[in-house]
Amino acid sequence: MTTMTEANIRLGAVLAQAENRQSSLGVSQLENAGLLPSSIETGMAVQAIAAASIGKEVAGWKLGINNGRAIAAPLLDLYDMKTETSFEIPKPGAVAIEIEVCFVLSDDLPAPETGREYTVEDVLPHVASVHLGAELCSYRLVEENKSPLPLFLADRLGNHSFVLGPEIDIALAQRLTNEDPTLAALVVEGDGEVLFAATPKHPQSNPLTPLVAYANLPIDHLGGLKRGQVVTTGSLCGLIRLSRQSVVKARWGDLPEMTIRLPV
């Protein structure tokens, strides 16, 4: 069954409109209008329609694992602060932040050949660099991340924007994979208040796991994993809700501190 139905096209347009207006839609409202996506595949199709309606290029991907299956959402607003100590986000509306390890792709990562699967060793040569990053979250849905998964996928998994931070050594990602107890604490502050301070941990232990899984079974409608894109795979601190904070700082060991200024 095709995923590009009239209802899916309408939902994509409605989500794009909500993005532009910074408004929210309720699940019951969408259900009554017959617009709820029924499957992961449908949700992925709707997110592509919404992205096209918003009119921004795909700058990267937010990847995750749900019930053993890799899922993805495009990053449409990406800010690079690799060489800066402070950055002001131009886009309003962020309600939460996650500090993450992310990867910049050195070249395209197409679907594997039939009968073959990528391994970590296959994917690593496609990684140009590893970075600390910050995902800012917002929702076009009243129920936010409690929405049905296909609808949450249609809403780009709640992505608002992404900040590419300082480069880190791949060995640090390996220590995350090994859940090294001697890792320095990750500290996140909002307007001077400590919001998180603990040893960071990735949801899949290995930050490369979602990237390898999605490379093996890409299901997006936006061209897949491309050279120069940023790929982020999971929070090191969980979802940190923001409440009118104007400055968020993240520091981890000897890495340069990330200072992110939010519009008020």
Side-chain angles (χ1 to χ4, degrees):
M1 182 176 65
T2 180
T3 53
M4 295 298 182
T5 64
E6 181 181 349
N8 296 339
I9 293 170
R10 285 177 57 205
L11 177 58
V14 165
L15 288 171
Q17 186 178 66
E19 164 92 1
N20 293 331
R21 293 181 176 177
Q22 292 189 35
S23 59
S24 298
L25 305 157
V27 171
S28 60
Q29 174 187 357
L30 294 172
E31 185 175 24
N32 290 339
L35 298 182
L36 283 189
S38 59
S39 66
I40 286 177
E41 289 78 9
T42 302
M44 295 290 289
V46 172
Q47 73 177 210
I49 295 165
S53 297
I54 292 167
K56 295 178 179 178
E57 296 292 327
V58 177
W61 292 95
K62 173 181 181 175
L63 305 183
I65 304 289
N66 181 271
N67 292 328
R69 181 175 185 179
I71 53 176
L75 306 178
L76 302 182
D77 294 278
L78 190 140
Y79 312 111
D80 187 347
M81 63 174 292
K82 289 182 295 185
T83 59
E84 302 180 44
T85 57
S86 179
F87 185 85
E88 184 170 350
I89 302 295
K91 180 182 178 181
V95 299
I97 191 169
E98 299 180 346
I99 305 302
E100 309 187 349
V101 166
C102 60
F103 309 94
V104 178
L105 297 181
S106 59
D107 50 12
D108 296 356
L109 194 51
E113 298 174 4
T114 302
R116 186 178 179 278
E117 289 193 347
Y118 285 120
T119 65
V120 170
E121 290 72 24
D122 295 324
V123 168
L124 272 175
H126 296 269
V127 174
S129 55
V130 186
H131 296 259
L132 194 66
E135 183 192 3
L136 294 167
C137 302
S138 64
Y139 305 93
R140 278 58 60 178
L141 303 170
V142 173
E143 290 80 4
E144 300 185 345
N145 57 0
K146 304 300 182 185
S147 304
L149 179 59
L151 181 59
F152 190 38
L153 266 173
D155 190 39
R156 309 196 317 274
L157 295 174
N159 179 253
H160 169 280
S161 58
F162 193 85
V163 180
L164 182 65
E167 187 170 352
I168 66 176
D169 194 283
I170 190 68
L172 190 56
Q174 186 60 51
R175 291 177 66 193
L176 272 173
T177 299
N178 296 334
E179 299 186 10
D180 185 345
T182 67
L183 277 171
L186 172 64
V187 180
V188 184
E189 297 180 354
D191 291 347
E193 176 189 358
V194 175
L195 306 177
F196 179 89
T199 302
K201 184 177 181 181
H202 190 274
Q204 279 77 43
S205 295
N206 187 344
L208 279 166
T209 295
L211 175 53
V212 174
Y214 193 72
N216 280 318
L217 192 61
I219 53 173
D220 63 89
H221 297 257
L222 290 166
L225 303 165
K226 297 293 185 180
R227 177 181 178 178
Q229 290 181 341
V230 173
V231 178
T232 190
T233 64
S235 177
L236 303 180
C237 56
L239 182 77
I240 300 175
R241 300 291 302 203
L242 300 174
S243 177
R244 299 184 182 275
Q245 285 91 350
S246 60
V247 180
V248 178
K249 296 184 177 182
R251 60 181 183 272
W252 186 20
D254 297 330
L255 293 176
E257 182 177 84
M258 295 179 68
T259 299
I260 299 171
R261 301 182 182 278
L262 303 170
V264 292

